[in-house]
């Protein structure tokens, strides 16, 4: 079985991380083929102490400050590239995700049979409503400067072995091919949060590699609808706005880029709603 390095990034979510680590001990994957690393973004809730005491089999990477999702995952990926030369895949996991017992096995199966695939994600289900799908990959709309979920047909979703080719996948449960991470690089660290996984998918696609989503690999995650709708947090708005503008400025060109960025600025400042 392929060797996998799981990387979990956390900041002040001790209970969630502990729950996930307990789950990873029981998944259907050979124990000698899976190593787990937790990247702690300078938590103050006892996360580090709990892992050091009760989970000695976990590699703990301690950042001296909160580097966000981008910096955290980069720290874990760089550590793996330097210290785990036998790791064929990197499994990026949110700290508050719950994984189906076969989630990793199904991701590896897709990647093993698709050599041109750079990354593959799980089908993400709502942790509070287990029959509701949050996402199974998504597409980037270069015409209006937005994103849209992959919405397969009901027939496709009923096929447990269906695999979808998309523009990007969320790092909620994302398996990346180590050789291509070495080739294409890790995340844009300056993003801190938001658009980091989107840019990675676009980068792999631009290099001619596939970005996939597996219907057979299932994880459960809190809905992010509330966070997307929350406009009260200035820092969230800042990173969403800055990073989306950076992305489209770098992944579009010419007159189309200028028109797209102008449209996005109008939308982001609310002027579009006033004049429409």
């Amino acid at each position: 079985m392929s060797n996998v390095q799981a990387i979990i990034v956390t900041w002040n979510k001790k209970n969630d991380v502990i729950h996930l680590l307990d789950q990873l001990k029981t998944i259907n994957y050979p124990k000698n083929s899976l190593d787990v690393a937790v990247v702690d973004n300078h938590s103050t809730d006892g996360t580090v102490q709990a892992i050091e005491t009760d989970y000695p089999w976990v590699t703990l990477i301690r950042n001296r400050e909160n580097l966000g999702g981008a910096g955290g995952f980069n720290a874990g990926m760089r550590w793996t590239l330097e210290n785990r030369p036998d790791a064929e895949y990197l499994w990026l996991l949110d700290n508050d995700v719950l994984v189906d017992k076969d989630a990793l096995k199904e991701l590896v199966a897709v990647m093993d049979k698709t050599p041109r695939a750079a990354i593959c994600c799980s089908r993400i289900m709502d942790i509070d409503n287990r029959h509701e799908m949050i996402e199974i990959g998504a597409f980037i709309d270069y015409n209006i400067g937005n994103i849209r979920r992959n919405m397969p047909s009901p027939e496709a979703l009923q096929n447990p072995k269906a695999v979808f080719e998309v523009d990007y996948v969320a790092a909620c449960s994302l398996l990346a091919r180590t050789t291509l991470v070495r080739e294409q690089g890790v995340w844009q660290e300056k993003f801190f949060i938001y658009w980091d996984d989107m840019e990675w998918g676009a980068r792999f696609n631009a290099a001619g590699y596939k970005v996939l989503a597996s219907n057979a690999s299932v994880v459960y995650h809190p809905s992010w609808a509330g966070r997307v709708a929350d406009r009260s947090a200035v820092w969230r708005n800042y990173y969403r706005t800055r990073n989306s503008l950076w992305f489209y400025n770098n992944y579009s060109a010419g007159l189309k880029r200028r028109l797209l960025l102008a449209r996005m600025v109008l939308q982001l400042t609310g002027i579009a709603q006033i004049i429409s």
Side-chain angles (χ1 to χ4, degrees):
M1 191 68 78
S2 299
N3 291 326
V4 177
Q5 177 69 54
I7 301 170
I8 305 163
V9 176
T10 191
W11 179 63
N12 288 336
K13 283 196 174 182
K14 180 179 71 173
N15 292 338
D16 289 330
V17 174
I18 296 308
H19 196 176
L20 176 55
L21 291 177
D22 287 338
Q23 268 208 313
L24 292 178
K25 290 191 295 186
T26 65
I27 63 172
N28 294 330
Y29 204 80
K31 300 299 182 290
N32 60 354
S33 297
L34 174 63
D35 291 308
V36 179
V38 172
V39 182
D40 183 78
N41 268 334
H42 202 59
S43 295
T44 57
D45 66 345
T47 296
V48 167
Q49 294 80 1
I51 294 174
E52 287 178 333
T53 301
D54 299 323
Y55 300 86
W57 49 274
V58 172
T59 297
L60 184 61
I61 301 169
R62 301 174 63 172
N63 288 333
R64 287 181 283 185
E65 60 180 314
N66 186 356
L67 300 179
F73 278 123
N74 281 352
M77 287 190 280
R78 288 177 181 133
W79 182 89
T80 302
L81 295 176
E82 293 175 3
N83 297 280
R84 293 283 191 267
D86 62 334
E88 297 164 76
Y89 297 112
L90 308 174
W91 189 20
L92 277 55
L93 289 165
D94 269 357
N95 54 11
D96 53 356
V97 72
L98 297 180
V99 300
D100 181 81
K101 287 184 178 295
D102 292 328
L104 176 57
K105 182 179 74 174
E106 296 293 349
L107 289 177
V108 170
V110 172
M111 296 289 281
D112 279 352
K113 68 181 181 183
T114 318
R116 294 295 294 176
I119 49 181
C120 184
C121 81
S122 304
R123 175 161 50 101
I124 307 169
M125 307 299 290
D126 191 325
I127 201 168
D128 296 315
N129 184 358
R130 300 272 174 124
H131 300 291
E132 182 176 333
M133 186 177 74
I134 296 176
E135 189 171 292
I136 184 163
F139 299 97
I140 300 169
D141 192 324
Y142 292 89
N143 293 314
I144 64 172
N146 209 335
I147 57 175
R148 56 185 175 85
R149 292 194 306 163
N150 175 31
M151 297 297 292
S153 67
E155 293 77 17
L157 286 174
Q158 289 173 6
N159 176 8
K161 296 299 181 182
V163 177
F164 308 100
E165 192 165 346
V166 294
D167 289 341
Y168 81 91
V169 294
C172 182
S173 169
L174 178 162
L175 193 71
R177 194 180 303 276
T178 307
T179 55
L180 297 185
V181 174
R182 289 186 186 276
E183 176 188 306
Q184 295 297 317
V186 295
W187 286 9
Q188 290 285 347
E189 194 151 337
K190 62 186 175 185
F191 277 14
F192 189 77
I193 191 172
Y194 300 131
W195 285 86
D196 36 24
D197 43 10
M198 300 171 196
E199 192 277 332
W200 218 30
R203 197 190 317 168
F204 283 122
N205 271 326
Y209 299 112
K210 293 184 176 182
V211 176
L212 305 176
S214 168
N215 204 34
S217 175
V218 180
V219 299
Y220 301 91
H221 189 273
S223 172
W224 46 67
R227 284 179 287 175
V228 171
D230 179 17
R231 298 294 176 181
S232 62
V234 174
W235 68 272
R236 288 187 188 275
N237 292 330
Y238 168 74
Y239 285 112
R240 283 197 194 101
T241 302
R242 186 197 69 167
N243 295 349
S244 64
L245 289 171
W246 184 99
F247 176 88
Y248 285 106
N249 185 54
N250 283 271
Y251 283 91
S252 56
L255 178 61
K256 182 177 182 180
R257 175 174 62 187
R258 293 194 291 271
L259 292 174
L260 174 59
L261 292 176
R263 178 191 180 103
M264 290 177 65
V265 170
L266 291 175
Q267 290 175 329
L268 292 167
T269 57
I271 298 176
Q273 286 81 3
I274 295 174
I275 64 176
S276 62

